[in-house]
Amino acid sequence: MHRFTLGLADLATTWFAVSPIQEASLSLRMWTHPGVYQLQTPAFERLRPAFERLDSTLLLSLIAGNRWIPDFLTPRPTSPAADFRTELATVRALPPEQLRPELEQVFLPHGRPLPAALAAGLADPARLLQRIADALEEYWEVCLAPSWWPQARAVLDADLVYRARLLSQHGAAALFADLDHRLHWEDGVLSINRRWTDWDAETAVDGRGLVLIPTFFARGAITMISNERAPQISYPARGQAGMAGPGTPVPPRALEALVGAPKARLLALLAEPASTTDLAYRLGVTPGAVSQHLSVLAATGLVTRARHGRSVLYLRSPLGDELTGGGGGGR
């Protein structure tokens, strides 16, 4: 059990962020624990040829048998729309003398020795840290940044828009309840219930703000190993099925007859917020074609638009829900 104590001021400074370096680091679990995150398997099978060209030994040694990963690889974001290179600079800035305890807290409490690649490198911790950061950067540039991250970012941004809507309409208690089944909110304490471990910790948010981060690579809410770090919680992102590849729900035939097949398919997808890029990928068409149809749907009041950072996200309106028989979708 990990408990976060939040006062009223702390609730007011709870915020959401997307972290590219968290996703890069946690995605290493896809290679050490294949099949655990099944919704991401098709996307990562497409990445496998590029990944196998890398020298990945050092990176994969950072993932423990229980899927734990060192805290320094998932630094707390400093803005809602974090940049990979800015976050990587935070990783590189870790004081070298902290590297050994960061690694040991992943492995030693569970009776596991440090992997050989890490143990040998600790003879020169500054050099080992540089090698880890360089390997992570190469993994990002070769495997994730070209095609996976743009699509992933659209899904994560859509999650944040959904959460903001839920918070504004129903408040913090409903928000926490909706994030994940492991989270429990009561009397100013937000708890992560981890039944598979006797790990017990308590963190007072104490004016530092709590950051909530969606991720593709967790089966429930997770947080840092150390309770001394600034408070953050990662939770499973919504809309992950969209990463598997092109595809769309089948819209009602009557709706197709009314608005045409392309617009009907878009409405079927928009039960959750999505960007033009995301929709184009899932439909297997160009963003320009999607944009034209969305403009018509927005002008007729069937979808709404909301800006999140550099992205514009679309969502079915109540009228759109009625036409699709969605009954309000996921809202």
Side-chain angles (χ1 to χ4, degrees), residues 58-114:
L58 182 61
L59 284 180
L60 297 186
S61 70
L62 294 163
I63 309 299
N66 60 358
R67 305 196 304 276
W68 283 26
I69 186 169
D71 283 346
F72 75 92
L73 290 176
T74 55
R76 179 167 127 146
T78 57
S79 69
D83 172 75
F84 176 81
R85 297 198 177 280
T86 300
E87 293 191 305
L88 184 63
T90 301
V91 171
R92 293 186 185 278
L94 181 77
E97 64 272 15
Q98 291 185 21
L99 184 58
R100 179 182 291 274
E102 289 265 350
L103 295 174
E104 288 181 344
Q105 71 179 354
V106 174
F107 297 96
L108 300 191
H110 307 284
R112 300 178 175 93
L114 286 178

Side-chain angles (χ1 to χ4, degrees), residues 58-271:
L58 182 61
L59 284 180
L60 297 186
S61 70
L62 294 163
I63 309 299
N66 60 358
R67 305 196 304 276
W68 283 26
I69 186 169
D71 283 346
F72 75 92
L73 290 176
T74 55
R76 179 167 127 146
T78 57
S79 69
D83 172 75
F84 176 81
R85 297 198 177 280
T86 300
E87 293 191 305
L88 184 63
T90 301
V91 171
R92 293 186 185 278
L94 181 77
E97 64 272 15
Q98 291 185 21
L99 184 58
R100 179 182 291 274
E102 289 265 350
L103 295 174
E104 288 181 344
Q105 71 179 354
V106 174
F107 297 96
L108 300 191
H110 307 284
R112 300 178 175 93
L114 286 178
L118 300 177
L122 283 172
D124 185 349
R127 172 60 179 155
L128 178 58
L129 180 63
Q130 179 181 329
R131 289 175 55 215
I132 291 171
D134 288 348
L136 189 60
E137 183 174 24
E138 182 183 32
Y139 173 55
W140 174 263
E141 293 294 343
V142 172
C143 295
L144 303 183
S147 59
W148 182 83
W149 178 243
Q151 172 68 10
R153 182 60 185 264
V155 174
L156 297 173
D157 283 346
D159 178 280
L160 266 58
V161 169
Y162 169 82
R163 305 299 175 186
R165 182 188 296 265
L166 182 63
L167 178 62
S168 66
Q169 293 180 349
H170 302 289
L175 171 68
F176 292 139
D178 189 70
L179 285 178
D180 184 61
H181 68 280
R182 293 181 186 172
L183 291 174
H184 179 68
W185 169 251
E186 185 176 11
D187 296 332
V189 177
L190 180 63
S191 302
I192 303 178
N193 186 8
R194 298 184 283 189
R195 295 185 178 89
W196 67 95
T197 177
D198 59 1
W199 192 272
D200 194 70
E202 186 162 343
T203 299
V205 175
D206 198 22
R208 294 176 293 172
L210 174 64
V211 183
L212 303 171
I213 311 168
T215 180
F216 293 111
F217 309 107
R219 300 185 69 176
I222 58 175
T223 189
M224 310 295 268
I225 299 172
S226 172
N227 62 354
E228 296 178 0
R229 284 184 170 264
Q232 66 182 61
I233 294 174
S234 299
Y235 62 90
R238 290 171 59 89
Q240 295 193 39
M243 295 295 291
T248 176
V250 178
R253 290 185 178 180
L255 180 61
E256 287 192 359
L258 179 64
V259 301
K263 295 181 182 64
R265 288 196 294 270
L266 283 172
L267 284 173
L269 284 171
L270 287 171

